[in-house]
Amino acid sequence: MDLRNLRHLVAIARRLSFSRAAEDLGLSQSALTRSIQSLERQAGMRLFDRDRTKVSVTPLGSIVVERASALLADADDFERMLRQTARGEEGRLCFGMAPLPAWTLLPTALSEWINAAPALTNEVVVRNVEALWPLLIAGDIEFFVSVEGQVPDAPPVRAETLGLFPFTLIVRAGHPLLLGNCPGATFPVLISSRGGIDVTLLADLRDWAAGPPHVIEDYNTLVSLTKTTDAIWVSSAYSVIRDLESKMLFALDLLNGSAPENFRMVMYSLDRRSQSPGMLRLKQALRQRIRDLQAPSEHNHDV
């Protein structure tokens, strides 16, 4: 059964006039009459009683009009859902984030998006790459975002760079190393994940480290520990911009130049899997957030 016939049926029932309904629909009256006659033949019943002065809906026609109206409303909802899904505004987006990008990028990127596309459900898994990788392979998440260089070589994955993050050694206000080199002193070292931390950077910290680094994935805990202990947190200035601006935390400059200054933040997805509109929109939002962080700003990086 053609939905156009049902739209014609509902239009006539609303107007109780073939001529006015034809005008509303942009059809000739004869074309509208043929449409209703075809529908009546399919239904095996009269849907309207007509004479020279009026049109009325038959009792059985009223039942058909009611069901047709509900069906058309569902069809309109379905068409709207298809359009919104194609634009990434409806549906479900499942993805993963390592702790650093989740803390640094996600709140700002998602806040604008949630307001703009409230019908799109976001399901976010925040874990280290060792936990995110099997979720990606199993298809439980569409992609994940992490520091470059933490995924296995196979199977093939698509790796798209979102932007660069600066390596930063972060300490509390009043930390002993802000006053000098503190010969012989050692301090706890904090990291959010073993992966993605350049070994040369940790080697540069060897003389200052009081043992192997502590791995803590929760950023609230990392920030709290850094503010309340003499720990050196290996992270990025992007993760604590406000604390650096307010001088609650400071950036150290103790590296000898062998370690890289930046690291890549990468979006990983399966190589042959099509990217959903939601993923494309989020990728754009994350890149914009990194560009905003890279914009010139006054942060205190003095020792």
Side-chain angles (χ1 to χ4, degrees):
M1 185 172 292
D2 195 326
L3 289 180
R4 287 175 298 181
N5 295 126
L6 298 184
R7 294 191 187 280
H8 299 166
L9 168 72
V10 172
I12 296 172
R14 181 176 63 251
R15 286 295 226 163
L16 294 179
S17 166
F18 274 70
S19 60
R20 288 194 292 267
E23 185 178 349
D24 291 343
L25 294 167
L27 296 174
S28 66
Q29 187 170 335
S30 59
L32 181 58
T33 298
R34 289 194 298 270
S35 174
I36 296 302
Q37 288 173 342
S38 173
L39 187 59
E40 288 180 328
R41 284 194 299 271
Q42 292 181 61
M45 68 182 79
R46 291 189 62 83
L47 301 175
F48 297 100
D49 288 325
R50 290 155 281 188
D51 59 31
R52 293 183 178 180
T53 60
K54 66 179 181 178
V55 173
S56 60
V57 185
T58 67
L60 293 178
S62 296
I63 298 173
V64 175
V65 168
E66 182 178 354
R67 294 295 299 274
S69 298
L71 180 60
L72 290 172
D74 287 342
D76 290 341
D77 287 343
F78 180 69
E79 289 180 2
R80 186 186 69 256
M81 181 273 291
L82 288 179
R83 292 192 299 269
Q84 291 180 332
T85 301
R87 294 194 298 264
E89 296 175 355
E90 190 165 308
R92 185 167 65 107
L93 182 63
C94 302
F95 61 96
M97 301 285 281
L100 175 57
W103 174 269
T104 308
L105 304 177
L106 204 54
T108 299
L110 275 189
S111 63
E112 298 177 358
W113 194 6
I114 286 175
N115 288 330
L120 178 68
T121 301
N122 296 279
E123 296 186 8
V124 189
V125 180
V126 179
R127 298 176 189 170
N128 59 33
V129 173
E130 290 78 7
L132 294 174
W133 178 252
L135 296 178
L136 178 67
I137 298 303
D140 294 332
I141 57 176
E142 184 176 348
F143 63 90
F144 68 82
V145 177
S146 71
V147 177
E148 182 183 35
Q150 302 182 60
V151 302
D153 293 333
V157 295
R158 182 190 293 115
E160 301 177 78
T161 299
L162 299 176
L164 297 178
F165 275 45
F167 269 120
T168 314
L169 303 180
I170 303 167
V171 297
R172 66 172 175 83
H175 193 281
L177 287 175
L178 293 173
L179 305 176
N181 285 337
C182 303
T186 59
F187 308 94
V189 174
L190 308 177
I191 59 177
S192 62
S193 173
R194 291 195 181 278
I197 300 299
D198 193 274
V199 293
T200 57
L201 188 149
L202 293 179
D204 285 350
L205 284 174
R206 184 172 50 240
D207 293 339
W208 307 101
H214 302 274
V215 183
I216 302 171
E217 295 181 12
D218 180 69
Y219 263 67
N220 283 308
T221 301
L222 286 165
V223 171
S224 177
L225 288 173
T226 306
K227 288 181 177 179
T228 57
T229 71
D230 285 339
I232 302 173
W233 179 13
V234 182
S235 185
S236 172
Y238 290 171
S239 65
V240 288
I241 282 181
R242 292 182 180 178
D243 286 315
L244 292 172
E245 291 175 339
S246 65
K247 302 188 185 303
M248 294 289 293
L249 294 173
F250 286 78
L252 286 176
D253 185 17
L254 295 178
L255 302 182
N256 61 22
S258 61
E261 295 182 357
N262 300 296
F263 56 90
R264 295 180 184 275
M265 193 60 65
V266 176
M267 175 179 283
Y268 291 101
S269 59
L270 295 181
D271 190 35
R272 296 184 179 181
R273 181 172 179 176
S274 299
Q275 297 184 346
S276 68
M279 176 180 176
L280 296 175
R281 289 192 62 179
L282 182 58
K283 178 166 53 177
Q284 181 180 3
L286 293 174
R287 282 179 170 155
Q288 183 59 54
R289 175 57 179 158
I290 295 175
R291 286 194 292 267
D292 293 342
L293 290 168
Q294 291 171 337
S297 57
E298 294 299 324
H299 304 311
N300 185 349
H301 298 291
D302 297 331
V303 179

